[in-house]
């Protein structure tokens, strides 16, 4: 599933490509996309990311809100020829954006009013005090909390594992057991790892591609995710793989306490 760095990569590419340009036509290829069926053309005022969501703002106040879910991605093509697994097209004067989504979980909807900026996005207007007040005393394992989009927007399985490893904190710990110092370590590690992920245009270990169909480079930076059985780059211990909430967690039980 695309996480914050992948969605931010798309956001920045879309900002440069379509801001100020008019959507001339759209086509829906999948009946599941009911939220975009009656779309009327408009001019793009700008693009922004909120958590894992892309918002294409139109000059008339509407927004096209896209959540890529498991396997969705946006692809820019000069040609209007429909790519495999495409579910929707937005046409411009010279070029097209396609929603390509093999598993058909991605969603698109039109919003009539501008949504309020969220306060739980570490790479945007993050309110650290508000987060700690709401989340720091929860009796929930830390990995699950980091992936809770209502608690902390944008982080999924890959980056949660990497953040906890860099912080030296076990994914099995309860959130309520952490000190303020440990929370600070998590916030700092998260910002550094997410920033690097954005610089590398995301992590391509399965379906992820950027707006131009190119793989990201951040898979080269992974220290624990997918590394079970290998030596820990921090302490030389062994990377373990366990299941939490139906998802694989990768961590070093030697240096993550």
């Amino acid at each position: 599933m695309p996480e914050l760095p992948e969605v931010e990569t798309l956001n920045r590419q879309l900002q440069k490509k379509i801001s100020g340009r008019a959507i001339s036509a759209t086509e829906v290829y999948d009946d599941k996309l009911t939220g975009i069926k009656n779309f009327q053309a408009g001019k793009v005022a700008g693009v922004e990311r909120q958590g894992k969501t892309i918002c294409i703002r139109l000059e008339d106040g509407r927004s096209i809100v896209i959540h890529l879910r498991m396997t969705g991605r946006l692809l820019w093509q000069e040609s209007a020829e429909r790519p495999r697994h495409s579910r929707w097209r937005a046409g411009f004067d010279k070029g097209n954006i396609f929603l390509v989504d093999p598993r058909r979980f991605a969603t698109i909807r039109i919003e009539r009013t501008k949504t309020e900026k969220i306060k739980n996005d570490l790479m945007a207007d993050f309110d650290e005090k508000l987060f700690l007040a709401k989340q720091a005393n929860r009796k929930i394992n830390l990995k699950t909390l980091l992936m809770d989009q209502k608690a902390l927007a944008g982080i999924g399985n890959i980056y949660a594992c990497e953040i906890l490893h860099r912080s030296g904190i076990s994914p099995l710990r309860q959130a309520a057991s952490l000190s303020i110092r440990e929370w600070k370590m998590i916030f700092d590690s998260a910002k550094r790892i997410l920033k690097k992920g954005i610089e590398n245009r995301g992590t391509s270990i399965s379906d992820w591609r950027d707006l131009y169909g190119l793989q990201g480079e951040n898979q080269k930076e992974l220290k624990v995710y997918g590394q079970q059985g290998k030596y820990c780059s921090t302490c030389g211990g062994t990377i373990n793989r366990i299941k939490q909430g139906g998802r694989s967690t990768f961590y070093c039980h030697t240096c993550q306490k």
Side-chain angles (χ1 to χ4, degrees), residues 1-11 13-14 30 32-33 52-54 66-76 84-88 97-108 201-204 206-214:
M1 178 183 290
E3 301 181 35
L4 189 153
E6 291 75 48
V7 181
E8 180 61 24
T9 297
L10 275 181
N11 176 47
Q13 292 177 328
L14 286 167
D30 187 342
K32 287 179 69 175
L33 296 177
K52 296 181 183 180
T53 300
I54 289 283
I66 304 170
H67 197 307
L68 299 172
R69 305 293 174 185
M70 293 294 294
T71 60
R73 63 188 180 94
L74 298 179
L75 175 67
W76 176 267
R84 189 181 180 201
H85 301 306
S86 56
R87 303 176 62 203
W88 173 73
I97 291 173
F98 289 90
L99 171 65
V100 179
D101 182 23
R103 296 187 67 179
R104 301 174 65 207
F105 291 141
T107 59
I108 309 179
R201 297 177 10 267
T203 300
S204 291
S206 57
D207 300 284
W208 166 249
R209 301 293 185 274
D210 71 6
L211 186 63
Y212 304 102
L214 301 175

Side-chain angles (χ1 to χ4, degrees), residues 228-242:
Q228 68 269 27
K230 296 183 180 179
Y231 291 117
C232 172
S233 60
T234 299
C235 71
T238 302
I239 304 300
N240 293 330
R241 175 179 178 267
I242 60 173

Side-chain angles (χ1 to χ4, degrees), residues 50-180:
Q50 292 213 0
K52 296 181 183 180
T53 300
I54 289 283
C55 298
I56 301 174
R57 305 291 187 193
L58 304 179
E59 286 189 345
D60 62 10
R62 293 176 299 160
S63 297
I64 303 173
V65 181
I66 304 170
H67 197 307
L68 299 172
R69 305 293 174 185
M70 293 294 294
T71 60
R73 63 188 180 94
L74 298 179
L75 175 67
W76 176 267
Q77 280 189 177
E78 299 295 329
S79 166
E81 182 178 350
R82 181 181 171 187
R84 189 181 180 201
H85 301 306
S86 56
R87 303 176 62 203
W88 173 73
R89 177 181 75 90
F92 296 81
D93 56 346
K94 293 181 180 179
N96 304 272
I97 291 173
F98 289 90
L99 171 65
V100 179
D101 182 23
R103 296 187 67 179
R104 301 174 65 207
F105 291 141
T107 59
I108 309 179
R109 69 181 189 276
I110 297 295
E111 287 190 356
R112 302 287 173 180
T113 58
K114 188 171 182 178
T115 55
E116 300 244 346
K117 285 191 176 292
I118 58 179
K119 299 293 185 182
N120 62 344
D121 188 321
L122 278 160
M123 303 304 288
D125 299 319
F126 182 61
D127 190 327
E128 184 177 307
K129 289 183 179 178
L130 180 62
F131 175 88
L132 291 173
K134 287 187 173 182
Q135 311 297 339
N137 292 319
R138 291 179 64 185
K139 294 181 178 180
I140 181 175
N141 76 63
L142 194 52
K143 165 91 178 310
T144 300
L145 176 59
L146 292 184
M147 293 175 58
D148 180 350
Q149 298 305 294
K150 292 181 180 179
L152 201 59
I155 296 175
N157 202 32
I158 295 173
Y159 294 98
C161 291
E162 294 296 312
I163 289 164
L164 290 173
H165 178 258
R166 185 181 181 116
S167 304
I169 298 173
S170 170
L172 299 171
R173 292 267 302 272
Q174 281 197 349
S177 73
L178 268 64
S179 65
I180 294 297

